[in-house]
Amino acid sequence: MEFHPFIEKSSTQEIKRFQEDKLQKLLAYLEENSPFYTKLFRENNINIAEIQTLEDLQKIPTTTKNDLQQYNHDFFCITPDKIVDYSTTSGTLGDPVTFGLSDNDLERLAYNEAISFACAGIQKGDVVQMITTIDKRFMAGLAYFLGLRKMGASVVRMGPGIPELQWDSIFRYKPKYLITVPSFLLKMIDYAEKHGLDYKNSSVYGAVCIGESIKNQDFTDNILSQKIKEKWNIKLFSTYASTEMSTAFTECEFQIGGHHHPELIITEILDDEGNVVKEGESGELTITTLGVEAIPLLRFKTGDIVKAHYEPCQCGRNTMRLGPVIGRKQQMIKYKGTTLYPPAMNDILNDFNNILCYQIVIQANEIGLDEIIIKLSIEAENENFVNEVRDHFRAKLRVSPKIEVIDFDILSKTVFNPNSRKPITFIDLR
């Protein structure tokens, strides 16, 4: 099995032609099997025979999360008896959406993760500890397991949380890689230091980081990864994926963005008017899935604002790469004339060692303007510290949010909600 697919080393022209061929097959499949897209083609007088090139995609309207929520059932292209797994989106923005996967979809998912993990250097025979949930209708955990199995790695399915058990497992099974939310690595380091564990000499070489950004836009380490690496010298690899895409963008050893897998997905980056942005500009990632049987998506707007990078990578792949997600379109905040996204605020809060946990709450005030409230739990009550945090916000983002100090026992219950896959550090009440 080839985990460095030939198409990814082909020329950009060959990749484009390859994708156009796949696109025509997808359009024919949708016209025949998808109630949602059949109706969309009919209502917009779209003759799929006229969609020949990637540029022709512009003739087709985009699909939104709202469409998926409203017409979830109409997106299914197969009958219920062909579905072998039900997953749901995490529902960060509204109701979760149900995704069914066929046998072939699970095979595609395994292939996607295998070539993604191969990007990050994982090989056959490596031991990999999964610090992520594999249940609760969570697609990613299952995808990681299937991908690692496909490439011949050994998996330790630990699940999230409980540093003590994670370390027990690391010393027992000697994993080379961890798959985890990066902020949890700080908890593991903290536990190891408090309990005198020799973590710096463990078997761990690297971690594939999910759910949180570890890089700045210029690919330097952000505050979170700097804090991890200061204590524990391991490699950190970014990966970006979503249930809707069933595809991941993972960094290779050169760590200059997550590589695109052209055999699995067509990407467009669009501005607010729906036009493709100029090279070097950021916009909303819009995707068309290839080879998905149950719920294929055509020109689906992910809601994630990203920037693409096209210069060749030293690893030999000629595929486009995605930089870290700048923010989610719906989470954009207009605050006193400044446009902000939550990740920029996370970076500032992660900079402080004595913040135990935090939550950013956005609400509209009585005159309809966005208001930011930062809830913090800190090690010791300290008026100066709150001012220091506020000054940091002013210096870095030119905004001065309202700051509330809350007891750790109270705040941690809402941040680390057992029903959520990631820490809930952002709440939008607008």
Side-chain angles (χ1 to χ4, degrees):
M1 177 72 211
E2 174 59 80
F3 295 121
H4 194 152
F6 172 73
I7 189 63
E8 305 195 353
K9 293 175 163 177
S10 305
S11 71
T12 46
Q13 288 79 11
E14 284 170 307
I15 290 173
K16 184 174 187 289
R17 277 200 299 276
F18 170 87
Q19 287 211 308
E20 287 169 347
D21 179 53
K22 290 258 191 192
L23 174 62
Q24 281 155 17
K25 293 189 174 89
L26 168 71
L27 292 168
Y29 180 78
L30 289 173
E31 189 161 66
E32 199 174 318
N33 300 292
S34 168
F36 179 85
Y37 286 111
T38 310
K39 185 167 177 256
L40 181 96
F41 296 156
R42 197 177 58 239
E43 286 177 354
N44 292 277
N45 298 322
I46 289 161
N47 173 3
I48 59 166
E50 289 171 6
I51 311 292
Q52 296 285 326
T53 66
L54 297 186
E55 289 77 13
D56 290 340
L57 275 170
Q58 287 274 313
K59 298 172 184 169
I60 302 171
T62 52
T63 302
T64 63
K65 294 212 171 191
N66 201 12
D67 294 325
L68 261 182
Q69 279 162 340
Q70 232 176 324
Y71 308 108
N72 199 171
H73 196 71
D74 291 345
F75 279 89
F76 279 81
C77 292
I78 56 174
T79 50
D81 59 314
K82 300 263 188 346
I83 292 168
V84 293
D85 182 74
Y86 282 102
S87 296
T88 48
T89 59
S90 53
T92 325
L93 305 166
D95 271 347
V97 171
T98 297
F99 273 76
L101 291 99
S102 68
D103 215 29
N104 288 336
D105 289 341
L106 284 182
E107 192 47 51
R108 178 186 173 284
L109 203 57
Y111 169 81
N112 159 65
E113 288 301 339
I115 59 177
S116 295
F117 287 145
C119 254
I122 298 176
Q123 294 175 352
K124 184 182 169 122
D126 285 344
V127 180
V128 181
Q129 185 156 317
M130 277 175 53
I131 309 183
T132 61
T133 180
I134 195 167
D135 51 14
K136 297 191 174 71
R137 306 195 306 247
F138 182 36
M139 187 192 278
L142 178 64
Y144 304 147
F145 177 75
L146 293 172
L148 291 165
R149 176 173 174 258
K150 189 172 184 68
M151 69 195 308
S154 308
V155 187
V156 186
R157 287 180 295 111
M158 277 305 300
I162 325 173
E164 182 182 3
L165 275 180
Q166 303 293 351
W167 284 117
D168 172 76
S169 204
I170 287 169
F171 293 125
R172 201 181 285 267
Y173 303 113
K174 312 215 168 356
K176 186 175 178 183
Y177 289 87
L178 309 175
I179 302 175
T180 180
V181 177
S183 57
F184 183 69
L185 292 171
L186 290 174
K187 290 199 171 54
M188 284 179 59
I189 292 166
D190 185 54
Y191 180 90
E193 287 182 338
K194 285 182 176 147
H195 293 83
L197 303 180
D198 185 13
Y199 69 95
K200 290 186 177 173
N201 290 313
S202 76
S203 59
V204 179
Y205 163 81
V208 175
C209 295
I210 61 166
E212 294 169 333
S213 180
I214 52 168
K215 292 277 166 77
N216 298 314
Q217 286 303 313
D218 61 359
F219 302 118
T220 52
D221 287 341
N222 71 5
I223 303 287
L224 179 56
S225 52
Q226 282 172 32
K227 282 175 86 165
I228 295 163
K229 288 178 178 177
E230 268 161 29
K231 300 266 188 171
W232 195 12
N233 185 22
I234 58 172
K235 293 254 190 230
L236 301 178
F237 295 91
S238 297
T239 183
Y240 159 71
S242 71
T243 305
E244 294 92 344
M245 302 196 293
S246 296
T247 315
F249 293 78
T250 305
E251 287 185 320
C252 67
E253 68 269 32
F254 296 101
Q255 301 203 325
I256 47 170
H259 278 281
H260 169 219
H261 301 311
E263 65 275 49
L264 299 177
I265 197 165
I266 293 170
T267 58
E268 301 170 82
I269 295 174
L270 305 178
D271 64 18
D272 289 344
E273 279 70 58
N275 303 311
V276 176
V277 300
K278 291 192 183 77
E279 209 168 297
E281 287 181 4
S282 57
E284 183 172 6
L285 179 67
T286 302
I287 56 106
T288 295
T289 55
L290 299 172
V292 171
E293 215 169 40
I295 301 193
L297 294 172
L298 178 63
R299 301 203 77 212
F300 174 74
K301 294 168 88 166
T302 60
D304 291 326
I305 305 295
V306 296
K307 190 161 118 182
H309 298 263
Y310 299 95
E311 60 285 359
C313 182
Q314 288 168 265
C315 72
R317 292 176 181 86
N318 286 324
T319 47
M320 175 273 280
R321 299 180 313 285
L322 283 185
V325 174
I326 295 163
R328 298 196 82 142
K329 196 167 180 178
Q330 275 173 280
Q331 294 179 342
M332 187 177 96
I333 303 152
K334 279 279 195 206
Y335 189 72
K336 298 182 180 165
T338 303
T339 299
L340 292 176
Y341 288 101
M345 294 191 273
N346 295 343
D347 280 351
I348 287 176
L349 294 164
N350 288 335
D351 209 359
F352 290 98
N353 289 327
N354 35 354
I355 294 179
L356 301 170
C357 70
Y358 64 83
Q359 194 167 59
I360 301 159
V361 180
I362 308 296
Q363 57 190 35
N365 64 15
E366 51 284 359
I367 52 171
L369 298 173
D370 292 349
E371 195 170 59
I372 307 172
I373 299 158
I374 311 276
K375 298 181 174 184
L376 299 179
S377 291
I378 53 180
E379 278 172 359
E381 192 67 47
N382 182 340
E383 185 56 39
N384 284 347
F385 179 68
V386 172
N387 289 331
E388 201 185 321
V389 174
R390 199 175 282 117
D391 290 344
H392 218 55
F393 267 90
R394 274 201 204 103
K396 289 270 169 70
L397 298 179
R398 302 192 302 282
V399 299
S400 174
K402 198 163 149 189
I403 296 174
E404 292 175 7
V405 177
I406 293 174
D407 189 51
F408 178 75
D409 291 342
I410 297 167
L411 186 59
S412 62
K413 282 190 177 71
T414 61
V415 175
F416 305 107
N417 183 323
N419 296 322
S420 172
R421 299 164 192 164
K422 305 173 195 167
I424 303 171
T425 55
F426 181 77
I427 293 181
D428 196 339
L429 301 174
R430 292 174 291 184

